[in-house]
Structures are given as C-alpha cells and as structure tokens.
C-alpha cells in the first residue's frame, strides 16, 4: 500500500474539489519564519508534523500557536524528532479553524461484503475506533453503480447540517467516491470533517493508494514510513522482506507457507527473525538477489523452504548455488525444496553439497539445532531422492 | 463426482504463449486435463504444446467449445481478458495472475455474477480434481484421487497440505485454491456449499491464514449448515502483528482476523483445528473414523 502524508492527501482532496484549509509545508524553522513573514499562513495557526502513524496529536506533534515566533519554535521542536519510528522531515503550517462540529467520513474496501464501504459518523475527531457501532453509519457501495443519491441522503439525514453545509457534504461524498475509484485508493478518510460557520472543511486527510494499481499512477512515489532500509530495498525489487528480532533467516515462497514455516520454527523452540518471501518467480537472478539480501541481514542460520508451483525447484536451486558462490556465507543452510521439477532441483543442490529434506518438522528441528550451535546429521539420502517431477 | 472441474472439463488458456501460460499448459496436459485451445491476440493460427491458438476468446469458443478458462494474462490486462471470457459465455474463469488491482476485481466479480461466470482467484494456484482435470498451476505430483475436499486461501501452503494428505494415504475429491487477495471471486463458504452437495466428498480440509474475516464467516456456515467434518489449519499463529491499515480497516475487523479468533470460531463450529500443517493428516484420519 502507498500511504500518503496528510498534506499529499489534502492535495488529492483539493484536486477533487473538497474544501481544505490553506497551508504550507516547511522543512525547518527558517522556512517556517519566511512563510509566516510572507503571510502565506496567518497566525494563529496549527503546526502539524507530517508523519504516517496516527496519534500524533496526543504526542505533541500537533500544536496550536498564536504568534510567528511560537510557530517557528514549534516547527524546530518537531523537525528531526522521531515519532513511532519515523523521523519528522516535513511540517505543515495550516490556518486555525473555528470548529463548531467534527464529523467523520471515509470510503474503504470491505473485504467481507466484497464492496466499497462508505462510513460516516456525526462524532468525528479523535479515536474513531472507540466509537460505538451504532454511532457509525455504514453504507456498502455497489461497484457497478457507484455511490447513488439515496445513500448520500441517508448520510445527510444523520448529520443534520445547515443547508449550505449539507450541499457541501453532498459534493464531498461524490468527491470521495471519485478519489476512491479514479486514484485506486484503499482508503480515503477525512477525520475530522469540520463544520466551520455554516460550511464544511477537511481538516485532516488519510489516503492510502493501492500498490497493485500503481501502473496506472506513475506520478505517485512510494512512501513507506515503517520499512527498515533492507525492507525498502526488498520492496523495490518486488521481494517481500520482514525483519523482526530473531536469528533464523527464512526464505520461502508464498505468504501462507512463509507463515506456516514460522509457526513450525517457533514450535521447535527457534527464534525466526528474517522472512523473505520469494513469491512466484522462475528467474534464478531473483533468487540470487534475495539470498544476497538475506546475507546482509546476518542471520545465524538460513532455512530455505520452497514448494514450487510457478516457482520451479531447479530455478531456485540454480539461483541458490550461484548465490553461494557470490556471497560465501559464514552461516549454515538447511534446504527443503519440493514441487515442480523437484528431482532436478534436489540434484542441483546435492551436486553443490547441499541436502534437501522432505519432512517439514525434521527440517525445522535441524534449523533450530543449528541456531543453538549444535551440529546436525545430513538429510537421509532416501528423503533426498523422494518425490519427483510433475 | 467432484466439484467445479472433472474429466469432462474443456480448458481454454488465455495468455497461452507467455512463459507461464506455456509451462502450465504442459503441466495441465500432463495431469490429464483436456486443454482445447489457447488465446493470445496476434498469435492466432499458431500452436502451443499441440494446442491451437486463437486471436479471440469468441473464435476459440466457436471452434473448440471450452467450459473453463485459465487466465495467465498480466495484471494490467487481466480485467479485459476476463470480460472477453464472460462475453463469450464461459461459466468458469480461473485467474492465476497476481497483483490484479482490487478495484478491477470488484468490477469483474459483479460483472461475472450478472452473466453467470464464476471466478476462482485472482492470485491463486487454481483447482484440480485428481483423476479428472486441473485448471491452474498446482504441482501434479502432490495429488491422489480420493474423497477429501481441500479448500485454501493460500498458494504454496495448499501444495504442502495436499502433499501431506497424499503421503498419509488420503486422496482428494477436488482441491481449490481461492487466492490470497483481499477480494476473492469464490469464497470459503461458496466452496463449502459445493462440497456439501458433492456425494464424492466425505469431509473437507480448510486451510486459512491470518487477516480478514473469511475464516470466521466460514465457521458460522460450518456450525449452522455444513453437514460434513472439517479439519482446518490457520497459518500465522506466531506472526508478528501486522501493520495497521488506517482507522477504517481497524473498524471493519473490530478485533476479528487474528489466528486466535479464527481458531476459536472454527472450534466452536465443531471443526478440528491443527496446530501445525503436519498434524492435519492425523486429524483427517480421526474424522473419517468417526464418520464410519
């Protein structure tokens, strides 16, 4: 998913006609001072750190200030600070709004009904999760019809707004739907949608775009606040890579098998720490890249657990042997490769001195033994020879 | 009998001249599937693995009468390929392609429903009836004909589970890989209903994973209406908590979607839940004993 920071979310809202308060993004106190002196943002104003995680208000990363020097000080207090693992680099200065009421409005995918879902609440603001279910209006949108007028009327009725604001709301709902569809969003959320005077204004924006649709939106760059540098590198190469604290590296294919491998390793008393999901590939170069990346993460032992469907076992084996030549790792390796072209794959590995296990529990036990510094017996030859090509 | 595909299934392969299309056409034929035609625009008149290739689905349908299509077309073109299959009247589309935008999938799903085309997938390994037909990419070596139905949300883990059943001597009626995307064409419940009606299926192995609420919903159906034993495995019991999907996602799930909640729901519904993949055959054995 492509998470957008508030100000970029607001740019999209603005582009689709949603009223958003004026603002200016700055990267230092100096830039803030200049913008304030030029009158780009009048004081009093709101200073908001541009981070992806929620809960920044409570942590002091959103501040209301009355004077320019206070604003500059607030910016300087935020830039370079860390919030939930993300360093603040940009700060939004935006005009202060005189809020009469705070509403909530969003559209997201409801996996359960397999439809987009419009959610609305007359109680917006902080912590929408804490809202009781009956305070939240949920309207499924049929993908073939789009948002229809009677559904908008239901929201309008629940909000009970002055006439001018009700008109705004109607347009804003159309805009949200247009953003959701045309920008391929996973989530478009305005919280709060504020009633200011008798008009509506989007005071915050959370927009998440769908990774898989980025071929239609080359203008968006990825923003991943929560990825480690290695995770980011893997993402750029189309490999799913997750680091948690532990010292077994797992190279598997497919999310389900990767998770099952993790379950089994924990059961055997191991501490898996690095997961690399090859996905479906039949390019040995991708295997080499993945393995080199694994080497960078410095695991104590690596478990290769592949069940080939799209991925062919001989491809994985060829890539693996090549990677070992390049990386010359100082950690031991346990392999279990099964599925399409299994015989060929096992033979390639065996020629390079690597045995392959058939039994998952047995392979996992040996991985954990190696992690704990014990030595293991090689897989039995019968197990190596078992299975076959399709 | 079986569900969805059998020896009479006539398979069309869309994207047959691509690398994956060609490889898996070979695999399907080796399995015994009757692959009657392929489609790749611009490659009409050629052959792949002895299968005639057409420019359009309509031409392929007129000449060879397929009853199911297997789609390998790249994600940006998957939607169009699917619409072409629906408009040509194909009742079953198995979409192997990964990274199909869910926005496309939503439209495909309801367009298919309007015109009577069922989707398996996307981002799935397809399905197979051992001794009948395979439409997809599951390695042939894992199967054995029998009476256990398998339905799974995962790809490679499906292979693992089916291979485990086969090694323990439990053959399968039909194995269905639903795919791991947020929007599936066919759900656990859809598949369970088919297994419920199938006299050749004695019981079902259901393989789930953390995230979403499909397993919990399936559990409700199993508890209330499914008349056969179910053994389940949920992958990801020990997975670190996922990255949060913004406020809206959290609201929809409301605490559901964890391995714990899935296991609990399934056990409450009377299913036997395996802690590890290799525990499944043993639980299948005891379920079948109880049946007798």
């Amino acid at each position: 998913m492509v998470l957008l920071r508030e100000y970029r979310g607001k740019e999209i809202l603005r582009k689709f006609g949603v009223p958003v308060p004026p603002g200016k993004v700055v990267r230092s106190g100096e830039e803030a001072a200049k913008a304030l002196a030029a009158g780009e943002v009048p004081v009093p104003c709101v200073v908001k750190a541009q981070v992806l995680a929620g809960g920044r208000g409570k942590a002091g990363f959103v501040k209301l200030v009355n004077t320019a020097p206070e604003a500059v000080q607030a910016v300087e207090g935020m830039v370079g600070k860390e919030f939930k693992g993300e360093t603040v680099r940009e700060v939004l200065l935006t005009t202060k709004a005189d809020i009469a009421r705070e509403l909530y409005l969003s559209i997201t995918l409801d996996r359960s009904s397999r439809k987009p879902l419009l959610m609305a609440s007359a109680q917006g603001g902080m912590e929408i999760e804490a809202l009781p279910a009956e305070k939240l209006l949920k309207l499924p949108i049929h993908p073939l019809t789009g948002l229809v007028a009677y559904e908008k009327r239901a929201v309008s009725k629940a909000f009970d707004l002055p006439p001018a604001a009700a008109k705004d709301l109607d347009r804003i709902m159309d805009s949200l739907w247009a953003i959701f569809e045309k920008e391929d969003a996973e989530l478009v959320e305005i919280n709060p949608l504020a009633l200011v005077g008798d008009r509506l204004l989007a005071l915050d924006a959370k927009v998440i775009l769908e990774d898989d649709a980025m071929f239609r939106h080359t203008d968006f760059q990825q923003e991943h606040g929560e990825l480690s540098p290695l995770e980011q590198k893997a993402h750029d190469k189309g490999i799913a890579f997750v680091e948690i604290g532990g010292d077994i590296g797992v190279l598997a294919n497919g999310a389900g098998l990767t998770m099952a491998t993790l379950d089994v390793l924990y059961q055997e008393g191991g501490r898996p720490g690095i997961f690399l999901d090859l996905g479906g590939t039949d390019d040995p170069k991708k295997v080499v890249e993945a393995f080199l990346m694994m080497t960078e993460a410095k695991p104590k032992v690596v478990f290769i657990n592949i069940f080939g469907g799209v991925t062919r076992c001989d491809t994985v084996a060829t890539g693996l042997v090549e990677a070992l030549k390049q990386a010359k790792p100082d950690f031991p390796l346990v392999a279990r490769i099964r599925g399409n072209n299994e015989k060929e794959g096992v033979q390639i590995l065996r020629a390079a001195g690597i045995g392959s296990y058939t039994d998952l529990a047995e392979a996992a036990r040996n991985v954990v033994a190696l992690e704990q510094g014990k030595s293991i017996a090689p897989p039995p030859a019968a197990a190596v020879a078992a299975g076959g090509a399709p | 009998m079986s569900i969805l595909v059998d020896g009479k299934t006539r398979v069309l392969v869309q994207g047959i001249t691509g690398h994956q299309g060609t490889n898996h056409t070979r695999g399907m034929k080796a399995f015994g599937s009757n692959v009657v035609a392929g489609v790749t625009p611009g490659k009409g008149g050629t052959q792949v693995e002895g299968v005639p290739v057409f420019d359009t689905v309509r031409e392929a349908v007129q000449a060879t009468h397929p009853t199911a299509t297997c789609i390998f077309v790249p994600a940006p073109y998957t939607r169009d390929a699917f619409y072409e299959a629906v408009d040509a009247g194909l009742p079953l589309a198995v979409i192997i392609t990964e990274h199909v935008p869910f926005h496309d999938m939503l439209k495909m799903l309801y367009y298919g429903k309007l015109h009577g085309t069922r989707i398996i997938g996307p981002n799935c390994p397809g399905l197979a009836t051992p001794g009948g037909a395979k439409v997809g990419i599951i390695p042939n070596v894992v199967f054995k004909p029998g009476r256990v139905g398998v339905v799974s949300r995962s790809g490679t883990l499906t292979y693992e589970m089916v291979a485990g059943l086969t090694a323990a001597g439990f053959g399968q009626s039909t194995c269905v890989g639903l795919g791991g995307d947020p929007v599936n064409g066919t759900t656990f419940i859809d598949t369970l209903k088919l297994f419920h009606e199938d006299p050749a299926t004695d019981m079902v192995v259901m393989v789930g994973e953390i995230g979403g609420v499909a397993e919990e919903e399936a559990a409700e159906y199993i508890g209330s209406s499914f008349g056969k034993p179910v053994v389940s495995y949920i992958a990801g019991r020990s997975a670190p908590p996922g990255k949060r999907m913004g406020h809206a996602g959290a609201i929809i799930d409301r605490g559901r979607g964890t391995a714990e909640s899935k296991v609990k729901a399934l056990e409450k519904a009377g299913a036997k839940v395996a802690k590890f993949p290799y525990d499944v055959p043993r639980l299948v054995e005891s379920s079948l004993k109880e049946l007798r």
Side-chain angles (χ1 to χ4, degrees):
Chain A
M1 55 186 177
V2 185
L3 285 90
L4 300 184
R5 291 176 219 287
E6 176 191 359
Y7 77 95
R8 298 191 60 204
K10 281 180 170 171
E11 281 167 12
I12 295 181
L13 291 183
R14 200 177 282 128
K15 187 171 126 194
F16 281 82
V18 178
V20 170
K24 169 83 182 168
V25 179
V26 297
R27 285 162 190 80
S28 65
E30 200 183 324
E31 270 186 49
K34 245 188 232 166
L36 290 157
E40 288 182 70
V41 183
V43 283
C45 70
V46 187
V47 180
K48 306 173 92 176
Q50 296 299 287
V51 286
L52 296 171
R56 59 189 169 156
K58 278 185 200 154
F61 284 93
V62 176
K63 277 187 175 148
L64 174 65
V65 294
N66 290 313
T67 66
E70 268 179 59
V72 172
Q73 199 188 358
V75 170
E76 282 170 348
M78 290 178 194
V79 173
K81 285 270 167 60
E82 226 175 69
F83 177 68
K84 295 189 182 171
E86 186 185 352
T87 307
V88 178
R89 303 196 188 285
E90 297 160 319
V91 177
L92 176 68
L93 302 177
T94 183
T95 51
K96 176 181 172 282
D98 215 353
I99 303 167
R101 279 173 62 191
E102 291 188 323
L103 314 168
Y104 173 93
L105 204 59
S106 73
I107 299 178
T108 188
L109 169 70
D110 178 18
R111 293 168 58 151
S112 182
S113 68
R114 295 185 289 179
K115 285 184 181 126
L117 189 69
L118 183 138
M119 292 195 279
S121 176
Q123 291 180 11
M126 311 281 274
E127 296 301 325
I128 194 70
E129 289 97 331
L131 267 182
E134 68 274 11
K135 298 277 184 201
L136 193 63
L137 198 62
K138 290 183 177 183
L139 297 168
I141 302 172
H142 199 289
L144 298 184
T145 61
L147 182 62
V148 289
Y150 81 88
E151 294 190 294
K152 290 191 290 176
R153 285 196 292 272
V155 178
S156 198
K157 197 172 172 192
F159 279 2
D160 191 25
L161 294 165
K167 262 191 189 164
D168 287 343
L169 177 67
D170 191 71
R171 274 207 313 269
I172 290 169
M173 283 189 279
D174 284 337
S175 302
L176 276 200
W177 174 247
I179 293 168
F180 187 75
E181 248 207 336
K182 296 210 169 75
E183 300 291 336
D184 282 296
E186 287 182 22
L187 169 70
V188 197
E189 182 183 73
I190 305 176
N191 187 27
L193 176 63
L195 179 66
V196 178
D198 65 346
R199 304 301 297 266
L200 292 179
L201 202 55
L203 296 191
D204 200 351
K206 182 155 201 148
V207 179
I208 301 176
L209 304 177
E210 197 198 355
D211 254 341
D212 285 340
M214 284 303 109
F215 65 85
R216 292 195 275 251
H217 306 277
T218 46
D219 48 336
F220 285 106
Q221 280 191 343
Q222 310 277 29
E223 293 189 19
H224 295 282
E226 297 160 51
L227 298 187
S228 74
L230 265 179
E231 287 176 341
Q232 181 66 56
K233 192 168 160 190
H235 182 273
D236 295 343
K237 292 187 170 162
I239 298 167
F241 184 106
V242 178
E243 272 182 297
I244 59 169
D247 41 32
I248 300 173
V250 175
L251 204 158
N253 62 331
L257 185 60
T258 307
M259 285 193 284
T261 307
L262 172 64
D263 291 349
V264 174
L265 286 172
Y266 268 119
Q267 164 69 10
E268 298 295 339
R271 294 201 319 127
I274 304 124
F275 311 97
L276 224 148
D277 176 2
L278 264 183
T281 180
D282 51 11
D283 179 4
K285 274 193 213 119
K286 194 170 168 191
V287 180
V288 174
E289 275 184 353
F291 193 81
L292 293 179
M293 211 170 289
M294 180 61 90
T295 312
E296 276 183 60
K298 302 199 191 318
K300 249 176 133 171
V301 49
V302 166
F303 182 25
I304 292 146
N305 190 19
I306 300 289
F307 215 119
V310 168
T311 307
R312 282 166 24 206
C313 292
D314 53 334
T315 304
V316 173
T318 306
L320 205 57
V321 171
E322 175 57 34
L324 288 173
K325 269 187 213 151
Q326 288 186 28
K328 300 194 175 49
D330 50 5
F331 49 77
L333 206 69
V334 173
R336 176 175 182 265
I337 57 172
R338 306 205 56 192
N340 277 339
N341 296 25
E342 177 173 325
K343 242 184 221 160
E344 292 85 337
V346 170
Q347 267 162 16
I348 293 167
L349 285 186
R350 209 177 343 167
I354 305 163
S356 177
Y357 292 85
T358 304
D359 187 69
L360 176 56
E362 187 192 357
R365 267 196 297 279
N366 283 307
V367 172
V368 175
L370 285 168
E371 183 201 10
Q372 293 164 352
K374 297 172 192 155
S375 59
I376 60 163
V384 174
Chain B
M1 286 255 311
S2 57
I3 66 166
L4 297 164
V5 294
D6 57 27
K8 286 185 247 134
T9 303
R10 298 169 66 84
V11 184
L12 169 74
V13 177
Q14 285 177 264
I16 193 170
T17 56
H19 192 60
Q20 294 297 342
T22 301
N23 266 342
H24 292 294
T25 296
R26 196 182 307 132
M28 283 187 264
K29 288 187 73 170
F31 185 92
S33 300
N34 185 12
V35 182
V36 297
V39 167
T40 298
K43 300 277 174 70
T46 60
Q47 286 207 339
V48 169
E49 300 288 322
V51 174
V53 180
F54 298 85
D55 284 323
T56 68
V57 176
R58 204 172 292 277
E59 285 167 305
V61 166
Q62 276 162 2
T64 67
H65 313 290
T67 57
T69 177
C70 192
I71 300 182
F72 289 99
V73 173
Y77 317 105
T78 301
R79 184 178 59 186
D80 286 356
F82 172 74
Y83 288 159
E84 191 182 352
V86 175
D87 293 347
L90 281 159
L92 178 65
V94 179
I95 305 178
I96 307 299
T97 311
E98 55 179 346
H99 301 303
V100 176
F102 77 78
H103 281 273
D104 290 4
M105 183 50 203
L106 286 173
K107 294 201 169 65
M108 290 154 66
L109 174 66
Y110 294 101
Y111 189 72
K113 279 180 187 278
L114 269 182
H115 297 282
T117 303
R118 175 194 291 280
I119 301 175
I120 307 281
N123 185 20
C124 81
L127 73 168
T129 294
K134 174 176 96 166
V135 184
I137 64 171
I138 307 178
N140 296 348
V141 64
V142 302
F143 297 106
K144 170 189 157 99
R147 302 186 57 84
V148 178
V150 177
V151 59
S152 168
R153 203 142 76 86
S154 160
T156 46
L157 185 55
T158 313
Y159 316 162
E160 179 81 46
M161 305 302 296
V162 177
L165 287 172
T166 294
F170 301 109
Q172 306 89 37
S173 53
T174 302
C175 304
V176 187
L178 303 175
D181 276 8
V183 179
N184 287 336
T186 296
T187 63
F188 277 128
I189 296 178
D190 297 337
T191 316
L192 288 169
K193 283 181 178 165
L194 295 171
F195 278 133
H196 179 81
E197 298 294 328
D198 177 31
T201 300
D202 290 337
M203 61 163 297
V204 170
V205 170
M206 180 179 135
V207 186
E209 51 187 63
I210 52 170
V213 295
E215 290 80 2
E216 284 89 332
E217 287 167 351
E220 274 170 43
Y221 169 74
I222 291 168
S224 67
S225 326
F226 191 61
K228 297 178 183 181
V230 174
V231 168
S232 184
Y233 168 68
I234 305 294
R237 279 186 193 235
S238 53
K243 287 159 193 181
R244 225 168 60 141
M245 266 276 298
H247 285 168
I251 293 167
I252 290 174
D253 286 345
R254 290 225 180 232
R256 301 202 292 172
T258 62
E260 245 182 335
S261 107
K262 290 173 194 298
V263 170
K264 218 169 123 189
L266 284 162
E267 282 179 343
K268 196 178 151 217
K272 291 185 164 73
V273 184
K275 251 186 145 165
F276 301 101
Y278 38 73
D279 292 339
V280 167
R282 188 173 45 80
L283 296 180
V284 167
E285 188 175 16
S286 70
S287 293
L288 289 174
K289 264 189 198 146
E290 285 162 26
L291 268 188
R292 281 181 211 120

